[in-house]
Amino acid sequence: MIRLISRERPGWRDRAREFGFHFHTMHGEAYWDESAYYQFSLKQIEEDLEEPTAELHQMCLAVVERVVGDDELMHRFRIPQQHWDLVANSWHAGERSLYSRLDLAYSGDGPAKLYENNADTPTSLYETGFWQWLWLEDKVNNGDIPRSADQFTSVQEKLVNRFAELRRYHPGETLHLACCKDTEEDRGTVQYLEDCANEAGIPTRFVYIEDIGHGEGDLFTDLDNRVIRWIFKLYPWEFMLREEYAGLLPRTGTSWLEPPWKALLSNKALLPLLWKMFPGHPNLLPSYFEEDLASSSMTRFVKKPIFAREGANISIHLDGEEVAASGGPYGEEGFIYQAYCPLPKFAGNHTLIGSWLIDDQPAGISLREDSSAITQDLSRYLPHIILG
């Protein structure tokens, strides 16, 4: 795993506009960055990232199986008690999921370490499934990268295939897709998923989360008063379960992507339970609930909110001293404590790997760089190749 300086493609911003990649720059800062790229060997991809991703995912599912049958654990995961049945029934009914992303610390040597599981509303999907592959094709055709180079991404193919499979369980139904207003990145992600669903033969309609209504007979409806029977929502379950309309969720008959049981996988309480169930696993970091921290003898750790997004409200503590922290609105539900394992640094950048799963299968990686040790929403996205 090495970082290589690279020439930007001439006119790529015009091409981004042509392909609908409108969030390559956010708040005046570069988000997509092709001034460099990362190179992996095939062995690193297959043995250090792809195989552990598949294993970690199955371990996470084993945690869900345990939590849904244990009231104390449901409480520790801060699932509102009135929704325990919603989450548990979703799991026991085998409600189908679409995708997720594991965030990993990996330097090219030694086992990758799981930071967290973004299993409910992960973004950077379009960049991973389409845009970085287009970058590779252009660079190969320009002679900047050898024709033997490859890339670890089958995201788009797997998404289309997964949607085609899901269509069998919703014959003739329209899939609504939703995200919040005023979030260009989220809107771009949802548009990409809409395109993949259309390619799989699924009719779609878009609606903003804020515009979903309560129709007659306890149904969710869009602005045209169409009943929402099947919907992908880029909106986290921990918010939904606390909304004013949350009491309707068990009664509407709406099928959700992602399903309610994903509220357990996208929850930082997953991490200490993983460590308890699979102690010493090479791809896990020791992690504890607050009440267990003192007995762990851990003095170098990262404090993470049970619910959080995009690196908010995280702090790093080394031998009794807080050395870094990020702001944000989270933390009311409590924190977990994960052993300190700093991200590797390349050319002064802290580099995080996102490992994607579509239909429970590893499907590709994304790389983010940040000048800070805590990766946040404006971290830069860099492409990668496989060579050797």
Side-chain angles (χ1 to χ4, degrees):
M1 179 180 176
I2 54 177
R3 185 183 192 273
L4 299 169
I5 301 299
S6 179
R7 295 184 301 173
E8 290 192 353
R9 293 168 295 163
W12 72 261
R13 290 170 179 82
D14 293 333
R15 203 147 184 230
R17 192 178 307 113
E18 175 189 348
F19 282 100
F21 186 17
H22 302 299
F23 52 95
H24 60 75
T25 301
M26 293 190 284
H27 309 291
E29 299 288 336
Y31 167 63
W32 168 263
D33 183 356
E34 57 183 68
S35 64
Y37 64 90
Y38 284 83
Q39 178 178 306
F40 297 83
S41 70
L42 183 60
K43 182 178 180 181
Q44 287 174 325
I45 292 293
E46 291 182 342
E47 296 182 9
D48 294 349
L49 296 174
E50 185 176 12
E51 292 177 8
T53 292
E55 183 177 2
L56 285 167
H57 180 62
Q58 292 303 314
M59 291 159 56
C60 290
L61 296 181
V63 170
V64 175
E65 176 68 26
R66 179 167 175 179
V67 174
V68 295
D70 189 314
D71 290 353
E72 181 184 352
L73 289 177
M74 291 287 268
H75 175 71
R76 278 196 160 190
F77 275 64
R78 299 299 186 259
I79 304 300
Q81 187 169 352
Q82 64 269 32
H83 299 305
W84 286 0
D85 285 345
L86 175 73
V87 173
N89 292 341
S90 168
W91 173 254
H92 292 312
E95 292 185 352
R96 293 161 185 85
S97 66
L98 181 65
Y99 73 153
S100 59
R101 189 191 75 225
L102 305 183
D103 283 349
L104 306 172
Y106 177 68
S107 66
D109 296 311
K113 299 291 187 180
L114 177 67
Y115 268 17
E116 59 192 51
N117 190 343
N118 296 278
D120 188 16
T121 59
T123 53
S124 72
L125 187 68
Y126 170 85
E127 308 89 289
T128 304
F130 176 74
W131 187 253
Q132 70 168 342
W133 179 257
L134 188 65
W135 167 88
L136 177 60
E137 287 185 330
D138 289 344
K139 296 292 280 184
V140 167
N141 291 335
N142 291 340
D144 293 337
I145 289 176
R147 290 204 169 270
S148 57
D150 201 354
Q151 197 174 79
F152 181 32
T153 177
S154 58
V155 165
Q156 184 158 312
E157 176 187 359
K158 282 186 168 67
L159 278 174
V160 173
N161 290 341
R162 181 56 169 165
F163 274 124
E165 181 181 358
L166 292 172
R167 184 183 61 179
R168 294 173 28 232
Y169 300 96
H170 301 272
E173 284 188 12
T174 294
L175 174 66
H176 281 78
L177 298 100
C179 68
C180 290
K181 296 178 179 179
D182 302 321
T183 55
E184 195 167 31
E185 182 184 7
D186 287 4
R187 185 66 186 94
T189 299
V190 170
Q191 181 62 62
Y192 178 58
L193 286 167
E194 190 170 0
D195 292 343
C196 291
N198 291 157
E199 189 173 341
I202 298 174
T204 57
R205 290 179 66 87
F206 177 78
V207 59
Y208 283 112
I209 289 286
E210 295 90 338
D211 291 334
I212 294 175
H214 178 188
E216 292 184 14
D218 285 345
L219 298 170
F220 289 126
T221 57
D222 63 18
L223 283 176
D224 295 320
N225 208 33
R226 292 175 180 257
V227 175
I228 298 173
R229 304 194 182 280
W230 183 28
I231 183 170
F232 171 89
K233 58 19 161 232
L234 198 65
Y235 190 67
W237 274 109
E238 64 261 28
F239 293 175
M240 289 181 64
L241 296 179
R242 290 162 174 81
E243 294 282 7
E244 183 179 349
Y245 59 71
L248 292 174
L249 290 168
R251 305 202 300 270
T252 62
T254 302
S255 295
W256 299 92
L257 286 175
E258 297 295 320
W261 62 263
K262 279 291 191 83
L264 301 176
L265 279 195
S266 60
N267 186 312
K268 303 299 187 300
L270 173 80
L271 301 170
L273 202 55
L274 274 172
W275 184 249
K276 184 175 183 178
M277 291 176 63
F278 305 97
H281 191 282
N283 297 116
L284 295 178
L285 293 168
S287 300
Y288 301 93
F289 291 106
E290 189 161 10
E291 56 266 34
D292 302 321
L293 180 63
S295 61
S296 73
S297 302
M298 191 167 64
T299 61
R300 300 168 68 85
F301 55 82
V302 178
K303 181 181 179 182
K304 297 182 175 183
I306 285 178
F307 297 134
R309 300 277 151 179
E310 299 177 328
N313 299 102
I314 288 175
S315 56
I316 299 174
H317 301 256
L318 303 180
D319 303 319
E321 180 182 359
E322 183 183 284
V323 299
S326 59
Y330 304 103
E332 181 181 346
E333 292 80 10
F335 294 83
I336 65 95
Y337 298 80
Q338 185 181 63
Y340 177 62
C341 174
L343 288 171
K345 292 182 71 173
F346 294 83
N349 301 287
H350 302 268
T351 304
L352 177 73
I353 294 179
S355 188
W356 291 85
L357 295 115
I358 311 293
D359 187 17
D360 299 325
Q361 302 298 316
I365 59 171
S366 51
L367 287 100
R368 303 284 296 272
E369 283 188 347
D370 204 304
S371 56
S372 168
I374 301 173
T375 306
Q376 297 191 267
D377 58 339
L378 292 182
S379 302
R380 299 175 304 280
Y381 188 111
L382 277 76
H384 77 278
I385 69 169
I386 305 171
L387 196 63

